[in-house]
Amino acid sequence: MSRLPFYFIVGLLLAAGIAMSVHRHLQFEIPWVPGEQRQVWEIEAVITFDAQGGPVEVDLALPTQQAGYRILTENTASSGYGLAYQADEAGRRAEWTIREADGEQQLYYSVQMLVSPEAQAPVQAAPELPPAVEWESPYDSAAEQLIEEAWERSANNATFARELIRDTNGERQDENARLLLGEMDPAPLVVRLLNQAGVKARGVSGLLLDDGRRRQTLSTWIQVFDENDETWSLFHPITGVQGKPDNLLLWETTGDAVLEVQGGTNSRVSFSMMTHYQPASAAVRNHNSNDTLLNFSIHSLPLEEQALFQTILLIPIGALVVVFLRVLVGIKTSGTFMPVLIALAFIQTSLATGLIGFLLVVSVGLIIRNYLSYLNLLLVARVSAVIITVIAIISVFSVLAYRMGLNAGLTITFFPMIILAWTIERMSILWEEEGPKQVLIQGGGSLLTAVIAFLAMNNPWVRHITFNFLGVQFILMALILLLGNYTGYRLLELRRFKPITEEDKPS
């Protein structure tokens, strides 16, 4: 049978993949190497609420230019709603309005933030102290004692705020702090105590940026005004650490509510975020338009789906590694593509934690599965019992890791439980039929393949290429087809010919 159609398909896939990738690089200035020029964060805020059948007004605080970040573009998606932007010295807000709405509603706001070390926040005047709010007894005396103790150990407004935070939430927490914390959350309590002491302070809302995260919420931080140099200092409300983390984007800086909804109930706002790198010129011009067919890109999807696809698009890389190791090298694995799923779990857990967790779960699972073999259960019931056993093992290990203070152990829940159950079942049957040697060969081969796949999939260059150039998927398909056409000897099989080479050597 002619192989011409096969090679034609392979060549077509290679040409299409290379053409699409080169087009995106030249036409839309997407770099081949990650981090060449500028980093851009794409952040999407999703507002959900239940409308009550009448007029609705939704008011959302918006981020502004600040130290380290500059706004590139912003847009909204709100079918049927009117939209207006408001900006003043205090900040920026978006207001959606509609005459009548009923049922669950969703509004979208997305913004591109350019990471720019040169960007600086606009000068903000110090606000006036809010009107004093009298404490009821015995809270008044507790507040005064906290303020006096922190004041004595401080030298200026910044050190006073740091000491007050540590007295309220740190190791020096006493009965006065615990009494007041029963009435207020830590951040609002510290702000109120600072204002009571005559220090201008406010609570601000910030978003911790982490690539690929979804359904995130804002966290509260404390800003304190220094009268001497007329600047704002940022403090963590629990630890008292001063300074703004590099990955913190201040979303609302006036102390007002982030989201206000009139005419609706159960309102909330959640955030999804994604980062990508592009040349500075492309970042400034925001040249990632998606109005043409040739610019077919994952970037046209909502950010939550983009974060999901960033991981999914790595699977073909793992599949290529598995095909190469099995077809050319001859490594035996337990299951065909089980190592790819284990490699995906390693990406979530880190390699060391993932290896330890995998070995623990499989080892304990094999012991329990050995006992189940004496019950003579049917296959479906036996595998179901193994699945429940795996879930129980992972739950126990997670609780033990948390109790021992090993937070990394909690990530063991990312392992694919069904695949682990089938792996344990296959290894147990293999043990019974061919002995422990084959279990070690296939189990070790699976683990080695998973580690190599993890190293390939977790490479920053690979992650960048697979996510930004969909044409690479055609190239990977062509390479896998070529490997699938190989019918020669595997590398590990060549050792069978070693005695022949030794016989040919002159004595």
Side-chain angles (χ1 to χ4, degrees):
M1 184 176 179
S2 174
R3 304 295 295 172
L4 184 61
F6 170 79
Y7 290 111
F8 175 77
I9 294 175
V10 170
L12 187 63
L13 288 172
L14 285 173
I18 293 174
M20 289 178 61
S21 301
V22 172
H23 175 266
R24 276 191 61 79
H25 174 68
L26 297 178
Q27 186 68 24
F28 301 98
E29 302 184 53
I30 306 298
W32 295 116
V33 179
E36 274 189 0
Q37 296 292 334
R38 296 293 182 91
Q39 182 183 15
V40 176
W41 282 96
E42 296 188 35
I43 304 166
E44 182 179 73
V46 181
I47 304 168
T48 58
F49 63 94
D50 296 325
Q52 297 176 319
V56 174
E57 294 183 14
V58 179
D59 191 76
L60 175 69
L62 303 181
T64 59
Q65 178 176 310
Q66 54 194 272
Y69 297 96
R70 180 181 290 116
I71 296 177
L72 286 181
T73 62
E74 57 184 355
N75 54 73
T76 63
S78 49
S79 178
Y81 281 79
L83 174 65
Y85 291 100
Q86 300 177 355
D88 53 28
E89 295 181 356
R92 301 171 58 248
R93 303 189 75 88
E95 182 180 7
W96 289 269
T97 55
I98 193 171
R99 180 65 65 177
E100 183 178 351
D102 189 23
E104 183 178 353
Q105 305 289 308
Q106 283 189 335
L107 306 177
Y108 295 87
Y109 167 81
S110 62
V111 61
Q112 284 190 335
M113 302 295 296
L114 173 66
V115 177
S116 175
E118 298 81 14
Q120 297 295 329
V123 178
Q124 296 183 359
E128 297 295 330
L129 285 173
V133 180
E134 298 295 333
W135 294 94
E136 297 180 358
S137 179
Y139 303 108
D140 53 351
S141 59
E144 290 177 0
Q145 290 182 24
L146 277 176
I147 292 173
E148 290 177 0
E149 293 174 359
W151 187 269
E152 292 177 356
R153 294 193 302 270
S154 64
N156 49 39
N157 288 352
T159 55
F160 172 59
R162 181 192 64 202
E163 296 299 320
L164 189 58
I165 293 174
R166 291 179 177 177
D167 286 346
T168 305
N169 304 305
E171 297 179 355
R172 297 198 298 258
Q173 184 187 77
D174 57 13
E175 294 296 332
N176 293 324
R178 285 189 285 270
L179 177 64
L180 295 175
L181 287 172
E183 294 295 312
M184 299 181 66
D185 292 332
L189 173 60
V190 173
V191 171
R192 182 171 175 179
L193 293 175
L194 289 169
N195 291 332
Q196 182 176 336
V199 176
K200 297 176 181 179
R202 62 191 180 190
V204 297
S205 298
L207 182 65
L208 289 172
L209 301 178
D210 190 3
D211 189 20
R213 298 300 298 271
R214 300 175 291 167
R215 299 188 181 93
Q216 301 300 295
T217 57
L218 298 175
S219 56
T220 303
W221 297 69
I222 298 174
Q223 275 189 338
V224 178
F225 188 75
D226 193 333
E227 300 286 353
N228 296 327
D229 53 8
E230 296 185 351
T231 58
W232 289 95
S233 299
L234 190 69
F235 292 86
H236 192 282
I238 303 299
T239 64
V241 175
Q242 182 178 356
K244 180 176 176 290
D246 293 337
N247 66 331
L248 177 66
L249 175 68
L250 295 180
W251 193 270
E252 200 286 323
T253 58
T254 64
D256 297 331
V258 174
L259 175 64
E260 294 180 345
V261 177
Q262 299 181 18
T265 59
N266 301 322
S267 61
R268 66 184 301 269
V269 57
S270 61
F271 299 86
S272 300
M273 62 203 75
M274 177 76 64
T275 185
H276 63 273
Y277 295 86
Q278 54 186 336
S281 57
V284 172
R285 295 196 306 268
N286 189 34
H287 208 179
N288 280 334
S289 59
N290 55 3
D291 54 353
T292 65
L293 179 62
L294 289 178
N295 191 27
F296 187 77
S297 170
I298 298 298
H299 293 291
S300 61
L301 296 175
L303 285 180
E304 187 170 347
E305 280 68 29
Q306 288 187 39
L308 181 63
F309 271 98
Q310 190 176 42
T311 301
I312 292 178
L313 292 174
L314 294 174
I315 295 179
I317 297 293
L320 178 63
V321 172
V322 171
V323 172
F324 176 82
L325 292 178
R326 292 194 56 156
V327 174
L328 291 185
V329 181
I331 293 179
K332 295 182 179 180
T333 62
S334 178
T336 307
F337 290 103
M338 182 272 287
V340 179
L341 300 178
I342 299 301
L344 286 175
F346 287 168
I347 292 176
Q348 303 292 333
T349 63
S350 79
L351 183 58
T353 303
L355 285 173
I356 296 173
F358 177 80
L359 292 174
L360 286 175
V361 172
V362 173
S363 300
V364 176
L366 283 173
I367 295 174
I368 298 177
R369 167 60 179 81
N370 183 53
Y371 170 74
L372 292 177
S373 63
Y374 292 104
L375 301 180
N376 295 323
L377 300 176
L378 296 176
L379 175 62
V380 175
R382 187 171 67 244
V383 173
S384 300
V386 174
I387 292 174
I388 298 174
T389 301
V390 169
I391 295 174
I393 294 171
I394 291 178
S395 302
V396 171
F397 285 161
S398 298
V399 172
L400 290 177
Y402 176 75
R403 292 289 186 181
M404 297 172 63
L406 302 175
N407 293 332
L410 299 177
T411 58
I412 195 175
T413 54
F414 286 105
F415 277 113
M417 299 180 185
I418 304 298
I419 300 301
L420 282 180
W422 271 108
T423 300
I424 293 171
E425 176 68 18
R426 290 169 61 92
M427 286 186 176
S428 179
I429 295 175
L430 187 64
W431 189 302
E432 295 172 355
E433 295 179 351
E434 301 187 28
K437 181 179 179 180
Q438 285 299 318
V439 172
L440 291 176
I441 291 176
Q442 293 192 17
S446 299
L447 206 55
L448 176 62
T449 304
V451 171
I452 296 176
F454 162 79
L455 296 175
M457 297 163 64
N458 202 43
N459 184 280
W461 187 84
V462 172
R463 295 172 69 93
H464 171 79
I465 291 294
T466 55
F467 181 69
N468 290 283
F469 299 94
L470 288 184
V472 172
Q473 306 299 320
F474 292 105
I475 298 175
L476 294 174
M477 172 69 80
L479 294 177
I480 290 175
L481 290 178
L482 286 175
L483 289 174
N485 194 45
Y486 178 76
T487 57
Y489 288 107
R490 296 173 174 85
L491 293 178
L492 294 180
E493 292 177 340
L494 297 179
R495 61 184 178 183
R496 295 185 302 172
F497 300 97
K498 186 177 180 181
I500 300 179
T501 61
E502 292 178 350
E503 292 176 1
D504 293 339
K505 291 180 180 180
S507 57

